[in-house]
Amino acid sequence: IAVQGKPEVSIPHSTKFDADAVKRELKIGEAWEKFHAQAEQLQDRIVTRDETIKLFMDAYYGLTSTDDIKAFQENPSNEKTAEKFMARMTEALFNSPGAHLASARGTLWGVLNAVTNDVDFSLPSRSNDTRFDKSQFGVGNQIKQRALTRALAMVA
């Protein structure tokens, strides 16, 4: 495993494996603990329909106010786009893997996972390779980051 200039973490066969020591050496323990704490906060936060729509619209379109969202949805040139988008997000919110778990159903964690599922598997793309590229490095990654930022702001 390559880490910050270190080519690997070496564990001789003659020693007892110490997972905590490996985590410290790889510097992943703190990041995991932070992620775990955030995930618990998100799964404990119940969301309303309006909060869900606001998070979706902010993450995908950068719309943060109720007025901006309403104007977008009521604009005749956005009608089909808005309908398709909300149908896709509803599908992700209620039918993606894990959506029926108690930690996801009706929670901010479930909304965030719906965004992740949509970006990783349903975001319109020319091919699976393009979709992967978008989800990890491009616009999809930006969408997921905005969704996470907004979700974390909602539990702060």
Side-chain angles (χ1 to χ4, degrees):
I1 301 173
V3 178
Q4 299 174 358
K6 289 180 82 176
E8 60 187 34
V9 173
S10 180
I11 304 164
H13 290 280
S14 61
T15 62
K16 183 178 178 191
F17 178 74
D18 183 351
D20 291 329
V22 171
K23 286 179 190 176
R24 280 191 302 277
E25 193 168 344
L26 292 173
K27 297 181 169 86
I28 60 171
E30 293 173 24
W32 174 255
E33 291 302 321
K34 181 180 176 183
F35 168 77
H36 188 262
Q38 290 172 340
E40 284 185 342
Q41 288 178 315
L42 296 173
Q43 79 173 12
D44 290 341
R45 172 68 159 73
I46 304 300
V47 289
T48 65
R49 180 181 184 273
D50 288 342
E51 287 174 321
T52 300
I53 291 170
K54 282 182 182 179
L55 190 144
F56 288 159
M57 296 303 279
D58 183 12
Y60 285 82
Y61 297 103
L63 303 173
T64 57
S65 75
T66 304
D67 291 339
D68 289 342
I69 293 168
K70 188 174 182 180
F72 175 84
Q73 291 173 326
E74 291 176 354
N75 183 333
S77 65
N78 294 333
E79 188 176 348
K80 286 186 180 181
T81 300
E83 283 179 21
K84 285 181 181 180
F85 172 71
M86 289 310 297
R88 200 177 77 223
M89 295 312 298
T90 300
E91 177 69 21
L93 185 62
F94 293 109
N95 296 315
S96 61
H100 299 286
L101 297 173
S103 61
R105 183 60 107 186
T107 70
L108 200 46
W109 180 248
V111 174
L112 185 61
N113 279 290
V115 170
T116 300
N117 181 270
D118 178 69
V119 167
D120 291 351
F121 300 104
S122 301
L123 195 64
S125 297
R126 292 181 184 191
S127 69
N128 286 336
D129 289 341
T130 305
R131 182 176 294 109
F132 176 78
D133 244 12
K134 280 183 181 179
S135 74
Q136 299 304 307
F137 309 109
V139 67
N141 184 47
Q142 294 166 1
I143 291 169
K144 291 189 285 189
Q145 189 57 54
R146 281 194 303 269
L148 176 62
T149 299
R150 179 162 182 104
L152 291 175
M154 293 171 70
V155 295

